Amino acid sequence: MTFADEVKNAVTPRAALLVIGVLALQLLFIASYIGALHKPKPTDVPFGIVAPQQMSARLLTELKDLPGGPLDPRTVSDAATARRQMLDRDIDGALIVSPRGTTDTVLVASGGGTVLADSLTKIITKVNLTHQRTVHSVDVAPASDEDFDGLSSFYLVVGWCVGGYLCASILAISAGSRPADRQRATIRTGVMALYSIAGGIGGAVIIGPILGALPGSFWGLSGLGALTVFAVGMITLALQALTGIVGIGLAVLLVVIAGNPSAGGAFPLPMLPDFWRAIGPALPPGAGTWVARSIAYFNGNAVTGPLLVLSAWAVVGTVVTLLLAMRRKPDATDGAPLAGTAGGGSTLG
């Protein structure tokens, strides 16, 4: 047999399609990350204004008409209300205009992203200079000294997501390419649940007691981790049940290629382009990052929506996995020993 014949036999149409699919994922990875992160700039950032009545309307118009539309300003009754709205994550910053002096205050929250906090301070400083006024910054939800640029929440959630789809991928291929029957799918789901609990607690232990990188409720972060891992794991199993081994690639597309750059981690959501800002909150990395930051820096506020997103992924993944398995009867060979082994095949697969 010639070398050409050997190559022809080795490169089957299925293998060729898989290689093409991997190339497509690679190019999408590059396009997604660079597209989302190559030129971050604030756009329509929810921003409060506390100013004397005679100045409020003029300032509102001026901030709304800034080149590039970095701010979405709205009037707020007083400084205390502005602080509360920031802790509730309704706005990302606020300008408190001094009614007597020429030094104003800009409220920021670096716990929600240091880059955004710095950008808001620079924008307001530049605006105030045109009116011969100065500004000083007050951080109402400061990031921990051990949490550089407020990135620890994001990396924690990324780790949970990676664990979720890797564990699910191993479970899906542990018995080769055979689809899961009812028993196998039930076992996979149970193992995924146990793994999720361990992963959630483990991640919270590392980022809290061990490294001290993130404050906030230990059990709150543990619960978030378990839900995130389970949601990603089950949607990976569901995609594998629907499409076979291709489902693992689809999970990477969903979580890594689309989810990570749109999560608001490296740059908070208001600094991302419209497409990534729109999809981020609906994907597990974005929902998880938002909740982790809320637990750490915002008293656990504004987490209902993102938790529902994670729960929806978990429920859909579980239901699809189990329903597809119920439609398949056990193979006659399921209990037979695998070739070359003394025992039977893995029950996890």
Side-chain angles (χ1 to χ4, degrees), residues 108-112 139-145 147 215 296-298:
V108 296
S110 61
D139 199 338
V140 302
S144 165
D145 292 338
D147 182 14
Y297 299 118
F298 297 93

Side-chain angles (χ1 to χ4, degrees), residues 61 98 116 118 137 155 162 196 199:
T61 300
S98 172
L116 179 59
D118 291 343
S137 176
Y155 290 130
V162 168
S196 300

Side-chain angles (χ1 to χ4, degrees), residues 16-70:
L17 287 175
L18 289 175
V19 170
I20 292 172
V22 171
L23 176 61
L25 286 177
Q26 173 184 299
L27 298 179
L28 286 171
F29 184 99
I30 295 170
S32 183
Y33 277 72
I34 296 178
L37 308 176
H38 77 289
K39 192 178 180 181
K41 61 179 181 178
T43 306
D44 294 330
V45 180
F47 191 81
I49 299 173
V50 179
Q53 188 172 3
Q54 64 273 20
M55 298 177 58
S56 181
R58 175 187 61 78
L59 189 57
L60 184 67
T61 300
E62 183 177 359
L63 295 182
K64 187 175 294 185
D65 293 339
L66 287 174

Side-chain angles (χ1 to χ4, degrees), residues 13-344:
R14 182 173 183 270
L17 287 175
L18 289 175
V19 170
I20 292 172
V22 171
L23 176 61
L25 286 177
Q26 173 184 299
L27 298 179
L28 286 171
F29 184 99
I30 295 170
S32 183
Y33 277 72
I34 296 178
L37 308 176
H38 77 289
K39 192 178 180 181
K41 61 179 181 178
T43 306
D44 294 330
V45 180
F47 191 81
I49 299 173
V50 179
Q53 188 172 3
Q54 64 273 20
M55 298 177 58
S56 181
R58 175 187 61 78
L59 189 57
L60 184 67
T61 300
E62 183 177 359
L63 295 182
K64 187 175 294 185
D65 293 339
L66 287 174
L71 302 180
D72 178 18
R74 69 283 309 268
T75 57
V76 180
S77 59
D78 52 48
T81 301
R83 286 174 176 267
R84 185 176 68 251
Q85 289 185 3
M86 289 184 67
L87 291 176
D88 289 341
R89 309 199 74 178
D90 294 327
I91 59 177
D92 291 310
L95 173 63
I96 314 299
V97 177
S98 172
R100 300 179 182 85
T102 58
T103 299
D104 302 326
T105 301
V106 59
L107 304 181
V108 296
S110 61
T114 303
V115 177
L116 179 59
D118 291 343
S119 296
L120 293 178
T121 300
K122 291 177 181 177
I123 291 170
I124 299 303
T125 299
K126 186 176 180 180
V127 170
N128 270 26
L129 282 176
T130 64
H131 300 288
Q132 289 76 52
R133 300 179 69 86
T134 58
V135 64
H136 78 278
S137 176
V138 174
D139 199 338
V140 302
S144 165
D145 292 338
E146 303 297 321
D147 182 14
F148 178 75
D149 274 358
L151 291 173
S152 296
S153 301
F154 170 61
Y155 290 130
L156 174 64
V157 171
V158 167
W160 281 329
C161 290
V162 168
Y165 69 72
L166 284 181
C167 180
S169 299
I170 291 171
L171 293 174
I173 65 175
S174 60
S177 59
R178 290 181 298 172
D181 58 20
R182 186 182 308 177
Q183 180 184 14
R184 192 177 297 125
T186 302
I187 293 173
R188 289 177 180 178
T189 302
V191 171
M192 196 70 242
L194 293 174
Y195 176 87
S196 300
I197 294 171
I201 294 175
V205 167
I206 292 171
I207 206 165
I210 294 180
L211 297 179
L214 207 62
S217 167
F218 169 81
W219 290 112
L221 289 174
S222 297
L224 169 64
L227 178 58
T228 302
V229 175
F230 189 72
V232 172
M234 292 312 301
I235 204 65
T236 301
L237 288 177
L239 290 171
Q240 189 272 340
L242 284 167
T243 63
I245 195 171
V246 174
I248 297 174
L250 294 177
V252 172
L253 174 64
L254 181 72
V255 177
V256 179
I257 295 176
N260 285 353
S262 65
F267 299 106
L269 287 175
M271 302 193 73
L272 298 179
D274 291 342
F275 172 76
W276 286 268
R277 187 194 305 197
I279 67 172
L283 298 176
T289 299
W290 178 277
V291 175
R293 283 177 170 162
S294 290
I295 291 172
Y297 299 118
F298 297 93
N299 303 322
N301 294 327
V303 299
T304 302
L307 288 176
L308 288 175
V309 168
L310 291 170
S311 299
W313 284 108
V315 170
V316 170
T318 303
V319 169
V320 170
T321 299
L322 296 179
L323 282 181
L324 289 178
M326 290 174 65
R327 296 174 56 186
R328 177 177 178 270
K329 296 180 180 180
D331 289 340
T333 59
D334 280 354
L338 296 177
T341 63

